[in-house]
Amino acid sequence: MNSIVQNTIWLLFIAITWASCSKEQNCDPSDEESPCYAGVGAGDILLLMEEKTNGKTELRFEYNDRNQVILRHVHSIDGSITSENFSYSGDKLTKMERISNGQLVMSEEYSYGTGDKPETAVLKDNKGQVIVTIIYAYSDKRVTETSFDTDGNQIGSNTYTFDHKGNQLTRQIAGGGNSMNETLGDYDDKPNRYTNYPWSWKVGSVNNEQSYSQSVQIPGGAASSRNLRWEYKYNEAGYPSKAEVYDQASNVLVETRTFTYKKAN
């Protein structure tokens, strides 16, 4: 198997499902960009604009007039910013391009059958050459994502499961000897903070998880794990405006996240 391709697909999945970690700023109810903006009211449908971790921007989103995410900016701990451009045909996501330092890194293009979820996808390098083919399979409350290199060798197999409401229960990511298992649960009854998330068919939820566990195994490296509890404060529209994340075992505060929204069209 091609180790470069394996690592590329592994990093792609990690970029989709992981958010990195990083003093909370005052909440100004008169500021339209503030998570406690007083103009937000009950019943409003909101779009997530920015997520901060310990006061530092981690994610920013931009939307089109159909309330679809067209840009996701990922701010890394080292200060670098990676941008992802999303294209659609109607309600269907058709393409994602990842750009770093102004240069195209890779792209992923999605193909559909008669349903509203992609059946296949191709991962292309920065020269437009296909390096990975992906096949999606759907069964009751389960999505399986299998990736192959250009020789037809399987290089990854990921499984995502959901409850009857559409809330994510597990994410199992495996490829190139790497593996990551995530379990989410104890959901609230409020709108999920990641509104109109582009990959909602595999990493989306209706509500917000209040418990989260993760284990990671990388060849040649020590296994790591964490178990977290999320406690939310909500704005007037019912969306999380703040999350305090605690270590389950020690009850120590690990990080504080804040979420800023705008009203949907």
Side-chain angles (χ1 to χ4, degrees):
M1 297 182 188
N2 187 317
S3 61
I4 295 177
V5 172
Q6 288 177 332
N7 289 333
T8 298
I9 197 70
W10 169 254
L11 291 172
L12 169 64
F13 294 135
I14 295 301
I16 291 174
T17 60
W18 265 4
S20 60
C21 301
S22 348
K23 252 150 206 170
E24 181 184 359
Q25 297 179 344
N26 292 330
C27 193
D28 183 358
S30 65
D31 182 1
E32 189 171 354
E33 298 302 318
S34 168
C36 62
Y37 173 53
V40 171
D44 286 342
I45 298 174
L46 306 182
L47 302 175
L48 181 64
M49 295 296 293
E50 185 175 45
E51 177 174 349
K52 291 184 177 181
T53 301
N54 297 336
K56 295 184 178 180
T57 298
E58 182 173 315
L59 297 172
R60 288 189 297 111
F61 297 88
E62 297 180 27
Y63 300 83
N64 61 18
D65 57 7
R66 293 171 59 91
N67 300 322
Q68 296 168 321
V69 175
I70 54 173
L71 278 173
R72 184 178 84 146
H73 305 280
V74 182
H75 296 241
S76 300
I77 295 174
D78 63 6
S80 64
I81 300 175
T82 299
S83 298
E84 294 159 338
N85 299 320
F86 300 94
S87 301
Y88 302 85
S89 177
D91 294 331
K92 297 176 180 178
L93 175 66
T94 56
K95 186 176 183 179
M96 181 276 293
E97 295 180 316
R98 180 165 293 133
I99 298 171
S100 181
N101 296 320
Q103 301 294 319
L104 177 67
V105 177
M106 50 75 64
S107 62
E108 193 167 87
E109 299 178 9
Y110 307 93
S111 298
Y112 296 77
T114 57
D116 60 352
K117 299 175 182 178
E119 293 185 353
T120 62
V122 291
L123 179 65
K124 296 182 178 181
D125 63 18
N126 59 1
K127 297 179 181 179
Q129 298 297 312
V130 175
I131 55 175
V132 173
T133 298
I134 300 170
I135 297 176
Y136 295 98
Y138 303 92
S139 58
D140 186 37
K141 303 178 185 64
R142 181 185 297 268
V143 180
T144 302
E145 180 180 38
T146 309
S147 55
F148 303 86
D149 64 18
T150 54
D151 294 324
N153 301 308
Q154 181 176 322
I155 58 173
S157 181
N158 308 321
T159 303
Y160 313 91
T161 65
F162 300 83
D163 65 14
H164 68 284
K165 289 184 177 181
N167 288 319
Q168 191 133 64
L169 298 177
T170 63
R171 293 192 286 254
Q172 298 174 316
I173 311 297
N178 305 299
S179 67
M180 179 176 70
N181 295 301
E182 298 173 297
T183 301
L184 304 86
D186 190 24
Y187 280 87
D188 63 15
D189 59 355
K190 308 297 185 181
N192 187 267
R193 58 201 182 276
Y194 297 118
T195 48
N196 286 7
Y197 204 65
W199 296 287
S200 60
W201 73 87
K202 61 177 180 177
V203 290
S205 291
V206 177
N207 307 119
N208 303 281
E209 77 278 4
Q210 297 175 109
S211 64
Y212 171 85
S213 64
Q214 178 197 80
S215 62
V216 178
Q217 179 66 62
I218 298 175
S224 63
S225 63
R226 56 179 178 166
N227 294 279
L228 305 174
R229 184 182 78 255
W230 290 61
E231 295 185 2
Y232 299 99
K233 291 185 178 180
Y234 304 91
N235 59 29
E236 290 299 315
Y239 292 75
S241 59
K242 178 181 177 180
E244 293 182 331
V245 185
Y246 294 86
D247 177 77
Q248 287 272 32
S250 65
N251 204 35
V252 171
L253 179 65
V254 176
E255 63 189 26
T256 299
R257 293 177 177 253
T258 55
F259 309 97
T260 304
Y261 306 86
K262 74 170 185 175
K263 292 182 183 180
N265 293 326

